[in-house]
């Protein structure tokens, strides 16, 4: 099998499996218990918090463990509206994760104004439109760090400066950037940030919301855990795995970025040379090192995915969460890509296990498609 769907999820690292297993086997205490077994879990929780904070570029006290980015994102929406001073207006980029946009739009049923901010043809937020949107008060501005479909990076620090000047709290969904490129919660000057462990070798069902120290923000769930920010006994096996994945990502990031950028660029070049009618989405902007989002003229996404599947290659049509739906990607629509082209988009997202040989096989499979469909000579 060749796994090219790392933006959907990544295989857990062997060290992560070990840490999760050890936690279930011997580190199973409740961090809130006062006895020795509980206190040992409490120390493990503190150590994990420090690892996640280091990856986020934040302070340990700012880390709130959650069940993943979905929970963190949803909480950011409801939390923003629950603040005493909040106006009922939310600003999100139009390319946020589909589930996040859906959650925000649902709030329109409760008299919340939700504005989706446009991006340009490269997939980058239009700062002029943002400036206009920020002229009126809002309870929240949310702009993701890296897009899950195109891999396009957003100018987070610049956006944060505009939000700060307008007095609007800023949230960044860093789920796709976490573990792949550095995060700088403090340096970006943002207020909230979401991440999910399984996007970089950690377990599923575990993530974090980073909340700026001193920011008065409502609790996610009542309870004394997480300093009153999120009640419920902590998911210690998940958190232990999250911490190991965070450390691994931090220690290998520089080398892995170089390796994946070289692999992705070579894959892109080879496809451009050998596959007629190839479109690459988002390539005019800075992207994650691992992501390649393409469309091949005359080849439906279903056909391309089936051919890849036959060759033992796992890829995706757009985001995992929206594939299966018949609507073309909202991200490509926001970039102004025509529907016919967007409908057939295929995402190849690379990761730890991939090498040049696997990608040559992928190129071979994709360029054979053309000859399979070429009309037979009369
Ligand atoms: N945001 C982004 C950008 C994502 O890519 C994902 C996962 N596809 C999520 C949020 C949700 O993450 P999770 O399913 O782990 O909660």
């Amino acid at each position: 099998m060749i796994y090219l769907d790392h933006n959907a999820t990544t295989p857990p690292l062997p060290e992560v499996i070990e840490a999760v297993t050890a936690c279930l086997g011997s580190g199973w205490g409740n961090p809130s218990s006062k006895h020795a077994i509980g206190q040992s879990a409490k120390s493990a929780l503190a150590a994990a918090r420090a690892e996640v904070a280091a990856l986020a570029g934040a302070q340990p006290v700012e880390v709130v463990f959650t069940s993943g980015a979905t929970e963190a994102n949803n909480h950011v929406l409801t939390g923003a509206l629950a603040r005493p001073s909040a106006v009922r207006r939310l600003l999100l980029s139009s390319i946020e994760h589909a589930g996040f946009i859906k959650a925000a739009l649902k709030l329109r049923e409760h008299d919340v104004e939700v504005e989706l901010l446009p991006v340009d043809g490269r997939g980058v937020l239009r700062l002029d439109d943002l400036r206009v949107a920020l002229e009126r008060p809002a309870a929240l501005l949310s702009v993701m760090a890296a897009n899950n479909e195109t891999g396009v990076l957003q100018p987070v620090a610049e956006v944060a400066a505009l939000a700060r000047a307008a007095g609007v709290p800023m949230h960044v969904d860093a789920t796709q950037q976490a573990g792949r490129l550095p995060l700088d919660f403090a340096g970006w000057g943002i207020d909230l940030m979401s991440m999910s462990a399984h996007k970089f070798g950690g377990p599923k069902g575990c993530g974090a919301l980073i909340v700026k120290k001193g920011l008065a923000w409502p609790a996610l769930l009542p309870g004394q855990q997480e300093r009153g920010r999120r009640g419920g006994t902590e998911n210690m096996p998940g958190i232990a795995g999250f911490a190991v994945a965070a450390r691994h990502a931090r220690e290998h990031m520089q080398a892995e970025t170089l390796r994946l950028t070289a692999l992705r660029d070579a894959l892109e070049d080879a496809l451009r040379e050998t596959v007629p009618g190839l479109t690459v989405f988002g390539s005019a902007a800075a992207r994650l090192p691992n992501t390649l989002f393409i469309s091949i003229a005359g080849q439906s996404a279903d056909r391309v995915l089936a051919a890849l599947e036959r060759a033992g290659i796992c890829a995706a049509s757009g985001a995992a969460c929206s594939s299966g739906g018949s609507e073309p990607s909202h991200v490509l629509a926001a970039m102004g890509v025509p529907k016919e082209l967007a409908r057939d988009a295929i995402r190849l997202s690379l990761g730890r296990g991939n090498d040049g040989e696997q990608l040559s096989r992928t190129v071979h499979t994709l360029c054979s498609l053309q000859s399979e469909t070429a009309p037979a000579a009369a």
Side-chain angles (χ1 to χ4, degrees):
M1 274 299 205
I2 299 176
Y3 186 73
L4 298 181
D5 199 11
H6 290 81
N7 288 11
T9 195
T10 58
L13 289 156
E15 307 88 302
V16 166
I17 298 174
E18 235 172 75
V20 171
T21 310
C23 183
L24 287 168
S26 56
W28 45 263
N30 184 333
S32 297
S33 301
K34 298 288 171 245
H35 48 63
I37 290 180
Q39 291 305 294
S40 145
K42 189 177 172 183
S43 309
L45 181 60
R49 198 182 302 286
E51 283 298 351
V52 170
L55 184 70
Q59 300 176 41
V61 72
E62 297 175 316
V63 176
V64 181
F65 287 111
T66 65
S67 66
T70 302
E71 180 187 316
N73 286 349
N74 273 268
H75 169 65
V76 164
L77 297 177
T78 49
L81 296 170
R83 297 179 85 202
S85 56
V87 289
R88 296 181 73 72
R89 178 168 181 254
L90 303 171
L91 305 174
L92 275 77
S93 89
S94 52
I95 56 160
E96 295 300 298
H97 189 256
F100 189 27
I101 290 188
K102 208 172 184 172
L105 293 183
K106 187 107 187 84
L107 293 167
R108 283 183 175 165
E109 294 166 16
H110 303 278
D111 292 329
V112 178
E113 192 187 335
V114 180
E115 207 170 305
L116 299 180
L117 304 168
V119 295
D120 62 21
R122 301 169 305 153
V124 178
L125 192 71
R126 290 180 182 274
L127 295 185
D128 286 347
D129 289 290
L130 171 65
R131 280 190 194 94
V132 173
L134 286 172
E135 282 170 8
R136 283 198 298 128
L140 182 79
L141 168 65
S142 192
V143 176
M144 67 196 334
N147 183 262
N148 44 303
E149 297 184 22
T150 58
V152 168
L153 308 179
Q154 299 300 319
V156 172
E158 218 175 318
V159 171
L162 294 173
R164 229 177 8 259
V168 175
M170 162 124 183
H171 164 250
V172 170
D173 179 351
T175 308
Q176 291 292 341
Q177 183 151 333
R180 302 206 168 113
L181 287 177
L183 301 177
D184 189 6
F185 183 79
W188 287 339
I190 58 177
D191 300 289
L192 301 138
M193 186 167 84
S194 309
M195 50 208 284
S196 228
H198 71 100
K199 303 289 185 182
F200 53 94
K204 287 164 193 57
C206 187
L209 176 66
I210 315 294
V211 183
K212 189 175 165 180
K213 192 176 163 188
L215 178 73
W217 199 260
L220 283 88
L221 296 169
Q224 48 78 27
Q225 289 90 352
E226 298 296 280
R227 294 174 321 285
R229 287 202 180 275
R230 183 189 188 263
T233 306
E234 297 84 349
N235 168 14
M236 288 306 294
I239 290 170
F242 188 2
V244 170
R247 171 179 281 261
H248 185 278
R250 211 156 42 83
E251 289 176 350
H252 295 82
M253 193 174 289
Q254 230 173 356
E256 195 59 357
T257 295
L258 289 175
R259 192 184 78 85
L260 288 176
T261 305
L263 279 178
R264 192 273 314 274
D265 289 352
L267 173 64
E268 185 173 328
D269 291 346
L271 291 177
R272 283 187 196 276
E273 268 168 38
T274 55
V275 178
L278 185 86
T279 301
V280 179
F281 303 112
S283 61
R287 275 176 299 172
L288 287 173
N290 76 321
T291 307
L292 185 57
F293 201 29
I294 58 169
S295 197
I296 306 171
Q299 303 286 347
S300 74
D302 285 347
R303 199 182 130 76
V304 177
L305 285 179
L308 289 170
E309 186 84 43
R310 279 196 302 277
I313 301 165
C314 306
S317 60
C321 318
S322 55
S323 55
S326 52
E327 272 305 294
S329 147
H330 70 286
V331 176
L332 294 182
M335 289 164 64
V337 174
K339 251 189 178 179
E340 315 74 64
L341 200 57
R343 207 183 38 223
D344 293 330
I346 300 288
R347 183 184 68 188
L348 306 171
S349 51
L350 281 49
R352 190 167 45 90
N354 299 134
D355 59 27
E357 203 268 326
Q358 292 184 346
L359 299 184
S360 301
R361 275 171 57 191
T362 306
V363 173
H364 177 76
T365 305
L366 290 175
C367 65
S368 316
L369 270 171
Q370 223 70 23
S371 46
E372 282 169 27
T373 45

